[in-house]
Amino acid sequence: MRPSQKILRLAANDLRLTLKDRAALIWMLALPLAFMWLFGQMGGGGNEDWRITLGVEDRDGGWLAEALVAELDDERLSLAHLLPSETASAGGDSTADEKTERKVRTLVIPEGFTEGVLVGDPQTLRLETEPGASAEFSVGAQMHLVRAVTRTLGRLVELGPGNSATGEPVGPEAFQALAARPDLVALKVSTVGRGRPRPSGTAQSVPGTLTMIVLMMTVIYGGVFLAKEKETGMLRRQASLPVTRGEIFLGKLVGRLMVAGAQILVLLLAGRFLFGVSWGNSPLGLFLVLGTYAFAVAGLSTLVGALVSTPDQASSLGWLLSMILAALGGCWWPSEIMPGWLRTAAHAFPTAWAMDGFHALISFGRGVDGVLLPALALVAFGVVFSLLGMRFLRYD
């Protein structure tokens, strides 16, 4: 039997033992899915295109009021046209796909608005906001309203006082013709360099949970099984077979790599199809991050198993390491909210590099160039952990 076949046979046995454990399947699959959903909701939901909900109560009905509402019609606003008799009811801001109208804030256009503006009488628009409505969304609605009012008044000023011979004010035809004219001045906005928005919602929770759970379960179960093999003498019996100790160690390492890979595949698909997370536009970049992270975690798992003497020690050490590395690595919250010195220090752990790679792909739209450094760092972690595990593992 060739060395590669021996290694794969040892690795497949470790994978089989892990999959036979029902508790392991719950921890590896059901729990992370719950975490992804829970933390995604706490972080602000997923990647949906949120719009500002604004009800419009037009008590005037004149053409200028209609022009003002048309100016408000924007893809970033979800307008709900209300009858004057309707009373706004409380509710939360809705997504673009949500069908139920929620009047969390209402623009009230007073009676006589059109006639009053055209003859120069001051008019007051009211923006009524329900208690509990999002303050940020309400400020956004005010900004849209100010922009619409400014454009409307600007067109009226440009048209002038109307027909000076008859004394008639400007009419809707002239106003609409001016509104249809191409803008005289256009503002072109572009970014310099690369922005770094703070990841939130499922864009943070899904890769964060994947990173944490793959680390936790691979280290714990890998360490526990290796400690059991030492405790029961199984490792000593394997060393008496016609295989080298290097082949045995590589079999353990590849087995942990298979366990991590199985978890990654399931959580990757769950993130895409259950939570709608886009993993970026670079399949190769994603493969580099996932593959190198699985290697780093597999190496750490063998190191933990080599250092401990009992399964209980392996379980305790695995939990402790996973919690510390997940917190510092940005799995629970975006690393952008951490102090600069702590964010830098966190890169002494593989979780920080993995999250850097995920966010480069998911949140910042990068490709292979954005994940090369994290991938190289993760390979280095895997090599160091594996060499240390090989050095400290005792077969007798």
Side-chain angles (χ1 to χ4, degrees):
M1 186 181 293
R2 285 186 251 178
S4 60
Q5 292 176 315
K6 299 174 184 177
I7 292 171
L8 288 176
R9 180 166 292 185
L10 289 168
N13 182 62
D14 277 6
L15 179 61
R16 179 183 62 83
L17 291 174
T18 303
L19 296 179
K20 281 181 61 178
D21 191 327
R22 292 185 179 180
L25 293 178
I26 294 176
W27 282 101
M28 291 180 180
L29 302 179
L31 185 65
L33 295 181
F35 280 174
M36 287 177 179
W37 178 83
L38 177 62
F39 292 131
Q41 298 304 308
M42 293 172 62
N47 298 328
E48 296 91 352
D49 180 20
W50 288 87
R51 302 173 70 187
I52 300 171
T53 302
L54 179 65
V56 178
E57 185 178 318
D58 183 3
R59 298 178 180 176
D60 175 58
W63 68 265
L64 190 58
E66 293 178 356
L68 176 63
V69 175
E71 195 67 48
L72 280 169
D73 192 6
D74 187 281
E75 62 181 8
R76 288 162 292 186
L77 284 177
S78 177
L79 292 180
H81 296 273
L82 312 178
L83 297 175
S85 60
E86 286 188 279
T87 302
S89 59
D93 289 289
S94 60
T95 64
D97 296 330
E98 192 169 281
K99 302 300 182 182
T100 303
E101 292 182 353
R102 295 178 178 178
K103 302 89 176 179
V104 295
R105 57 192 65 81
T106 302
L107 169 65
V108 180
I109 302 176
E111 296 180 11
F113 173 79
T114 299
E115 182 180 354
V117 170
L118 294 178
V119 299
D121 290 339
Q123 300 295 309
T124 300
L125 299 172
R126 293 203 322 273
L127 183 61
E128 300 175 349
T129 304
E130 290 290 336
S134 167
E136 294 180 356
F137 279 66
S138 296
V139 171
Q142 293 175 33
M143 293 176 62
H144 280 280
L145 180 56
V146 169
R147 185 185 67 175
V149 169
T150 302
R151 286 183 174 181
T152 302
L153 292 179
R155 293 192 181 106
L156 288 175
V157 171
E158 188 173 354
L159 286 172
N163 192 323
S164 57
T166 62
E168 294 180 0
V170 62
E173 295 81 7
F175 186 92
Q176 291 173 2
L178 185 60
R181 184 190 67 184
D183 293 334
L184 298 178
V185 178
L187 176 63
K188 184 177 180 180
V189 180
S190 60
T191 57
V192 178
R194 296 185 182 274
R196 287 193 60 87
R198 180 184 298 175
S200 62
T202 51
Q204 163 66 28
S205 70
V206 170
T209 301
L210 184 151
T211 302
M212 178 182 71
I213 294 296
V214 169
L215 170 70
M216 181 184 297
M217 295 299 102
T218 305
V219 170
I220 290 177
Y221 278 91
V224 166
F225 286 152
L226 190 52
K228 282 183 178 179
E229 290 180 334
K230 291 193 298 183
E231 191 176 54
T232 60
M234 177 63 72
L235 193 61
R236 183 173 60 254
R237 290 193 293 274
Q238 290 177 351
S240 65
L241 297 173
V243 291
T244 66
R245 295 192 172 187
E247 291 170 348
I248 294 176
F249 182 83
L250 288 176
K252 305 301 179 187
L253 181 64
V254 175
R256 277 62 178 163
L257 193 59
M258 288 181 173
V259 171
Q263 294 179 82
I264 286 173
L265 178 60
V266 173
L267 298 180
L268 192 71
L269 294 175
R272 179 66 187 91
F273 296 107
L274 293 182
F275 301 100
V277 172
S278 170
W279 292 98
N281 300 314
S282 175
L284 178 57
L286 182 61
F287 175 79
L288 285 175
V289 175
L290 294 173
T292 54
Y293 181 64
F295 174 52
V297 169
L300 180 58
S301 176
T302 56
L303 175 58
V304 169
L307 292 175
V308 299
S309 301
T310 66
D312 287 342
Q313 292 176 353
S315 180
S316 300
L317 183 58
W319 272 106
L320 183 62
L321 279 176
S322 300
M323 292 296 102
I324 294 175
L325 269 61
L328 293 178
C331 298
W332 295 353
W333 43 67
S335 59
E336 285 77 6
I337 69 173
M338 297 163 56
W341 66 269
L342 185 56
R343 190 162 60 246
T344 300
H347 286 82
F349 309 111
T351 45
W353 290 104
M355 292 302 293
D356 283 352
F358 283 130
H359 288 321
L361 296 170
I362 299 172
S363 298
F364 309 140
R366 303 286 298 276
V368 174
D369 62 311
V371 301
L372 280 179
L373 181 58
L376 290 173
L378 290 169
V379 168
F381 277 112
V383 170
V384 171
F385 291 150
S386 299
L387 291 176
L388 290 174
M390 185 179 296
R391 168 68 178 81
F392 291 111
L393 182 60
R394 294 289 180 265
Y395 295 84
D396 46 23

